Amino acid sequence: MPFRLFSHGFRSCPNPSFLFTAFPTVFSSNLVHHELVANYSHLFRVRGSLPDLEPYLLLAHIDVVPATESDGWEAPPFSAQEIDGFIYGRGTFDDKGSLMGMLQALEYLLMKGYAPRRGFYIGLGHDEEVHGHQGALNIVRMLEQRGVRLLFVLDEGLAILDGILDGLEGPAALIGISEKGQATVKLSVSTVPSHSSIPPRETSIGILAAAVKRLQIINFTLEKIKQTKRFAAKFKLPMKFIMSNLWLFSPLIGRILERRPDSNAFVRTTTAVTMFNAGVKVNVIPPYAEAFVNLRIHSAQSLQEVLDLVRTTVADERVKMELSDGFDPLPVSSSDEKAFGFQVIKKTLLDMFPGVTVAPGICIGNTDSRHFRNLTNDIYRFSALWFKPGDPQRFHGINERISKKNYEDIVQFFFSLIQNFDIQRLPDSHSSAHEL
């Protein structure tokens, strides 16, 4: 299938008619049952020849965050323009690369006459960027009503990091086995209005600003970073020695990871003040000020523990604290040698990229997959995207793009993965050499 069609998909993918046109075999195969959910989301059931094998779910989302060319894009953000081997467009990372890749892989497999032994589902939500309450949740309800139990779910999340982790030799593929919880806390202060010419000792803005400053320097405990042990041999000296002896050097590793916002977010609960509102006139001291604080909660903590710490840190009765929205971190999925989903994903990656180090990680953002936690014990968050220096800033930023080669990798990943999931149980060793 030519890349021209994929590029067109970045412009037209939300339109169901495009999917029918792009993947005619998927929609015409007697192995595939398709349903439109809540008008815009999609659920595909691919029938397996061995119905006793528990099915799994591949998940992606159609919607994207806003983007305008005036932000500084090198190409219009919804043009899917190709520049120097890259396709530029909002959603190339998040999440149309995976969406198109899994459907294109299935299209190829069906065209080749492939019939899976293990049945599976593909779910495409349409409102993940606004919490998935219409798309993903309605897909979940449909599956629950039918008594479906899933072996595991694979959604977007982490990726292959190449040159992102300081000191690491070679790329690392992190498979998310949990995702952070979240809390949005509203802080507000009410005082008596007054004129700026006769200011009180403390104003509503001053009281609130002091509370916000205390929260910004809140010292959430650095959590144990067990997954770094798997990288030890891949680091250069002296980091190789340090990473191999975490029992001694954990505090040092913590200080190193704290230096960069992206690595700091993996190992602790983070705090970000995102909104601050007060005042309507330059010479009036406002009687009311409010701020919103967004916290991303590490898997080692609970929502209640974090709220208690916020309250203790603010430590001012004049500051009213309200939880606007929040939920606990997601359960940690299995990743040991007996974890079927994790091990097949890992082995598929190693077949394709033998030099990649594969390890579990924590997804710092939230995905549609969290809505499926009652349907399965294991949820994995990974896309076969290659993140190189500068790419994390493109995520929800300007000049989001994917290389043609990387998209080819994604198609190959799903092409092999679907076939590899056909095994009934994990063998002692596993390899595959599927070719498009």
Side-chain angles (χ1 to χ4, degrees):
M1 190 171 293
F3 280 105
R4 179 179 57 80
L5 183 56
F6 167 66
S7 299
H8 184 62
F10 280 101
R11 297 189 293 270
S12 307
C13 193
N15 185 346
S17 64
F18 168 78
L19 295 180
F20 282 95
T21 303
F23 308 111
T25 313
V26 171
F27 284 92
S28 62
S29 172
N30 59 9
L31 294 178
V32 181
H33 179 254
H34 168 256
E35 295 174 88
L36 200 61
V37 181
N39 298 321
Y40 301 104
S41 293
H42 300 265
L43 179 63
F44 301 84
R45 176 180 174 267
V46 184
R47 181 164 45 86
S49 61
L50 299 178
D52 289 342
L53 295 183
E54 197 170 15
Y56 60 93
L57 170 71
L58 303 177
L59 197 58
H61 66 89
I62 297 170
D63 59 317
V64 299
V65 297
T68 59
E69 190 173 359
S70 60
D71 292 336
W73 284 69
E74 294 178 28
F78 294 98
S79 68
Q81 185 175 329
E82 297 180 23
I83 304 175
D84 298 329
F86 288 88
I87 300 170
Y88 282 71
R90 173 62 82 225
T92 46
F93 279 164
D94 183 22
D95 178 37
K96 290 185 182 179
S98 288
L99 184 152
M100 295 291 290
M102 64 179 65
L103 289 178
Q104 194 156 353
L106 179 58
E107 179 80 5
Y108 285 158
L109 286 167
L110 294 172
M111 288 171 62
K112 290 167 64 72
Y114 171 75
R117 291 193 288 272
R118 183 185 299 276
F120 63 95
Y121 295 86
I122 294 178
L124 309 178
H126 72 269
D127 61 342
E128 188 270 351
E129 300 293 356
V130 287
H131 310 304
H133 292 156
Q134 297 300 316
L137 271 180
N138 275 303
I139 292 175
V140 168
R141 292 187 185 106
M142 291 178 67
L143 295 176
E144 286 179 334
Q145 289 169 2
R146 296 166 187 175
V148 173
R149 182 72 185 172
L150 299 169
L151 182 60
F152 62 87
V153 172
L154 175 60
D155 195 8
E156 62 168 337
L158 301 181
I160 303 171
L161 309 182
D162 189 3
I164 301 295
L165 298 176
D166 288 340
L168 184 67
E169 292 184 321
L174 296 181
I175 301 172
I177 58 173
S178 180
E179 62 184 57
K180 284 186 165 184
Q182 189 174 159
T184 299
V185 177
K186 176 184 175 182
L187 304 175
S188 60
V189 176
S190 297
T191 59
V192 177
S194 59
H195 196 278
S196 61
S197 62
I198 315 175
R201 185 177 297 275
E202 291 183 289
T203 66
S204 59
I205 293 177
I207 295 169
L208 185 59
V212 164
K213 183 178 180 180
R214 290 193 291 275
L215 283 181
Q216 284 186 308
I217 59 175
I218 190 171
N219 186 27
F220 284 107
T221 303
L222 187 76
E223 306 304 336
K224 293 181 180 180
I225 43 177
K226 297 178 182 178
Q227 63 265 32
T228 56
K229 292 181 180 179
R230 307 194 185 199
F231 296 138
K234 297 290 185 177
F235 278 90
K236 303 174 184 177
L237 289 172
M239 285 298 295
K240 180 183 291 188
F241 176 73
I242 293 172
M243 298 296 282
S244 298
N245 293 276
L246 290 178
W247 63 274
L248 178 62
F249 294 111
S250 286
L252 176 60
I253 294 297
R255 287 195 291 271
I256 292 172
L257 292 173
E258 286 177 310
R259 294 174 184 172
R260 291 177 49 166
D262 48 1
S263 56
N264 180 58
F266 279 106
V267 294
R268 60 155 36 93
T269 296
T270 57
T271 306
V273 182
T274 55
M275 297 175 64
F276 201 114
N277 303 310
V280 294
K281 203 169 185 292
V282 295
N283 62 347
V284 176
I285 295 174
Y288 180 79
E290 67 178 17
F292 288 85
V293 182
N294 186 252
L295 302 105
R296 300 300 175 108
I297 306 168
H298 192 278
S299 299
Q301 294 180 294
S302 68
L303 172 61
Q304 190 57 54
E305 288 173 341
V306 168
L307 293 177
D308 290 343
L309 185 53
V310 169
R311 187 174 289 105
T312 302
T313 302
V314 169
D316 190 334
E317 294 182 355
R318 296 171 296 178
V319 180
K320 183 180 179 181
M321 182 178 130
E322 302 172 71
L323 177 64
S324 298
D325 185 36
F327 51 87
D328 281 312
L330 274 291
V332 177
S333 300
S334 59
S335 60
D336 59 21
E337 292 302 316
K338 296 181 180 180
F340 183 90
F342 184 91
Q343 291 301 327
V344 174
I345 296 168
K346 176 182 176 179
K347 292 178 187 299
T348 303
L349 282 167
L350 292 177
D351 288 342
M352 291 181 61
F353 312 112
V356 168
T357 301
V358 181
I362 294 176
C363 190
I364 60 177
N366 295 122
T367 68
D368 270 347
S369 66
R370 72 183 186 277
H371 299 303
F372 293 80
R373 60 186 179 272
N374 292 331
L375 295 177
T376 183
N377 293 328
D378 290 320
I379 298 174
Y380 301 109
R381 303 153 184 90
F382 175 80
S383 300
L385 290 165
W386 284 78
F387 270 29
K388 298 179 182 293
D391 285 338
Q393 290 72 35
R394 299 178 190 273
F395 191 88
H396 283 199
I398 63 172
N399 292 323
E400 186 179 353
R401 67 184 189 179
I402 187 173
S403 70
K404 289 184 178 182
K405 175 62 171 64
N406 194 181
Y407 178 64
E408 203 172 272
D409 291 338
I410 293 173
V411 176
Q412 178 68 64
F413 173 73
F414 283 113
F415 185 89
S416 299
L417 191 70
I418 291 170
Q419 295 176 83
N420 290 342
F421 281 141
D422 267 351
I423 60 174
Q424 296 187 41
R425 59 182 180 274
L426 288 174
D428 293 333
S429 62
H430 172 70
S431 64
S432 62
H434 307 301
E435 295 182 359
L436 292 175

